[in-house]
């Protein structure tokens, strides 16, 4: 009974988001019929918004995998937004610079630097956990909160007195921009790369020895400890991979959607990815439909807000409602797990 209860309980977050959206539309629209029809069908009948939905889903899948890897090993990475921003910033710096190297080498160098930077940022929390006993949930959030304004300042400082846009780096070079496959939407091959990432992650966690050992720390930490499995190895590997995937998401956003690293492009991306990972119960394959659904909901809500002249963004309200619901369900699952373990 309990095994079935928790996944179903997490799925409640999805209808909660829909209900919040419908209630908001009905409350602030004089004629709710048109915006409601647009909410449920408009995204699928418009090429731009359909491509935008799939493009956003790709970011949720890749960043959601980052959150899932940490969760699988018993850690919760709340620093996703800072890691995404850092990855986008480093990618923007490298790919807009005049490096005297072949384009393929520069691009691979950028990927390497981006993933290492994200891994190192998340590894700070692993270090604090293993040496000081600090909670990963808290330290990842604090490190991210400290990094965000530093990157904002670095973008502004990089302009000097040039008179250029103080809120964005220069545009990356043409050869590093991903080709769009559904004009005029920003959809690129990133969506298909995200599907491959999810399939590969599923294979690693279910078919490889390392994946099963890592997963054991999330499901049965005491048993893993008594079995002699290294806590340090699990913490450093899981958080490093989590940070690297978040940073890679930032690079893909810069190369495929924005073509520059600008202030706030990461906004909401990390939290939405965490919501997707929690709703999917950290299952890489379940993350695919979950990410597509959440992306549809946010894209449709944003379109309704824009076209109906609302003075606020409905998608922000939905994000908050879903994240709050997911957090309550996650806390409830932890409490149930604690009580069941204590009674045993």
């Amino acid at each position: 009974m309990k095994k079935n209860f928790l996944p179903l309980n997490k799925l409640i977050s999805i209808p909660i988001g829909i209900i919040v959206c419908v209630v908001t539309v009905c409350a602030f629209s004089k004629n709710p019929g048109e915006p409601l029809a647009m909410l449920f069908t408009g995204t699928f009948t418009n090429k731009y918004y359909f491509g935008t939905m799939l493009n956003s889903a790709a970011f949720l899948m890749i960043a959601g995998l980052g959150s899932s890897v940490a969760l699988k090993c018993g850690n919760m990475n709340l620093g996703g937004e800072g890691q995404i921003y850092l990855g986008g910033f480093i990618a923007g710096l490298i790919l807009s610079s005049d490096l005297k190297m072949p384009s393929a080498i520069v691009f691979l160098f950028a990927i390497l630097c981006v993933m290492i930077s994200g891994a190192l940022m998340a590894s700070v929390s692993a270090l604090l956990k293993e040496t000081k006993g600090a909670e990963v949930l808290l330290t990842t959030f604090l490190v991210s909160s400290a990094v965000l304004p530093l990157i904002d300042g670095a973008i502004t400082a990089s302009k000097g007195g040039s008179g250029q846009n103080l809120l964005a780096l220069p545009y990356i070079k043409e050869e590093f921009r991903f080709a769009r496959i559904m004009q005029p939407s920003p959809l690129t091959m990133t969506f298909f790369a995200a599907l491959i990432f999810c399939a590969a992650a599923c294979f690693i966690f279910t078919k490889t020895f390392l994946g099963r050992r890592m997963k054991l720390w999330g499901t049965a930490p005491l048993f893993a400890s008594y079995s002699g499995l290294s806590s340090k190895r699990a913490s450093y590997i899981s958080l490093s991979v989590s940070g690297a995937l978040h940073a890679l998401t930032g690079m893909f956003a810069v190369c495929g959607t924005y073509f520059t690293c600008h202030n706030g492009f990461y906004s909401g991306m990390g939290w939405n990815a965490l919501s997707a990972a929690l709703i999917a119960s950290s299952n890489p394959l379940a993350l695919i439909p979950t990410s597509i659904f959440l992306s549809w909901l946010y894209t449709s809500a944003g379109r309704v807000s824009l076209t109906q002249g609302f003075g606020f963004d409905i998608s922000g309200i939905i994000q908050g409602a879903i994240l709050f619901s997911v957090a309550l369900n996650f806390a409830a699952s932890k409490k149930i797990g604690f009580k069941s373990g204590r009674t045993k």
Side-chain angles (χ1 to χ4, degrees):
M1 295 290 289
K2 288 180 180 178
K3 290 182 179 180
N4 295 328
F5 170 74
L6 291 178
L8 289 174
N9 199 27
K10 291 177 182 178
L11 289 176
I12 293 175
S13 304
I14 293 177
I16 285 177
I18 297 176
I19 292 171
V20 168
C21 188
V22 171
V23 170
T24 305
V25 169
C26 292
F28 290 92
S29 178
K30 295 180 180 179
N31 182 19
E34 181 182 349
L36 286 177
M38 184 184 298
L39 174 69
F40 288 103
T41 63
T43 299
F44 300 102
T45 58
N46 184 290
K47 197 173 183 180
Y48 172 78
Y49 284 102
F50 183 71
T52 299
M53 177 193 74
L54 295 181
N55 187 62
S56 300
F59 299 149
L60 291 185
M61 279 186 246
I62 300 173
L65 274 180
S67 298
S68 296
V69 169
L71 288 168
K72 282 281 189 185
C73 299
N75 298 308
M76 181 177 282
N77 181 5
L78 296 188
E81 300 218 327
Q83 293 152 18
I84 290 171
Y85 199 14
L86 180 62
F89 175 73
I90 291 177
L93 278 180
I94 296 174
L95 300 181
S96 64
S97 302
D98 293 319
L99 299 179
K100 306 302 181 181
M101 293 187 292
S103 298
I105 300 299
V106 174
F107 189 73
L108 291 175
F109 176 68
I111 291 178
L112 183 63
C113 291
V114 164
M115 296 186 72
I116 289 176
S117 66
L120 289 176
M121 181 175 169
S123 294
V124 172
S125 296
L127 176 65
L128 293 173
K129 174 186 176 182
E130 297 300 329
T131 58
K132 303 297 183 180
E135 288 289 340
V136 170
L137 182 146
L138 178 62
T139 56
T140 50
F141 177 77
L142 292 177
V143 171
S144 175
S145 298
V147 166
L148 293 177
L150 290 178
I151 298 176
D152 288 341
I155 291 175
T156 302
S158 67
K159 303 301 179 180
S162 64
Q164 298 177 4
N165 187 350
L166 298 180
L167 300 179
L169 292 176
Y171 283 102
I172 63 175
K173 298 184 179 301
E174 291 282 348
E175 58 264 31
F176 301 123
R177 301 181 185 184
F178 296 165
R180 295 184 172 179
I181 59 178
M182 190 182 288
Q183 296 285 0
S185 77
L187 180 64
T188 66
M189 295 300 291
T190 300
F191 178 77
F192 301 101
L195 297 178
I196 295 173
F197 281 17
C198 289
C202 181
F203 176 82
I204 291 172
F205 277 117
T206 58
K207 301 297 183 181
T208 67
F209 180 68
L210 176 62
R212 288 193 292 266
R213 290 185 65 175
M214 298 288 291
K215 192 165 60 173
L216 190 60
W217 272 104
T219 55
L222 287 178
F223 179 78
S225 178
Y226 294 151
S227 299
L229 300 182
S230 173
S231 170
K232 289 184 178 181
R233 186 179 183 185
S235 296
Y236 281 109
I237 291 178
S238 64
L239 287 172
S240 295
V241 172
S242 178
L245 287 170
H246 278 99
L248 192 62
T249 304
M251 179 177 179
F252 285 166
V254 166
C255 292
T257 302
Y258 305 110
F259 303 141
T260 181
C261 176
H262 65 80
N263 188 311
F265 84 86
Y266 59 87
S267 181
M269 202 180 295
W271 294 111
N272 292 339
L274 179 60
S275 297
L278 289 171
I279 293 172
S281 296
S282 306
N283 185 323
L285 293 184
L287 190 61
I288 296 173
T290 302
S291 298
I292 292 175
F293 183 87
L294 289 179
S295 180
W296 162 75
L297 187 57
Y298 298 144
T299 302
S300 299
R303 184 187 182 192
V304 169
S305 296
L306 181 65
T307 58
Q308 297 301 310
F310 289 174
F312 56 92
D313 186 4
I314 301 176
S315 59
I317 299 175
I318 298 171
Q319 288 173 354
I322 290 178
L323 187 60
F324 183 72
S325 174
V326 169
L328 286 179
N329 290 328
F330 182 78
S333 68
K334 289 293 185 181
K335 185 175 182 180
I336 290 172
F338 173 76
K339 287 184 176 180
S340 63
R342 186 175 57 183
T343 55
K344 291 178 182 179

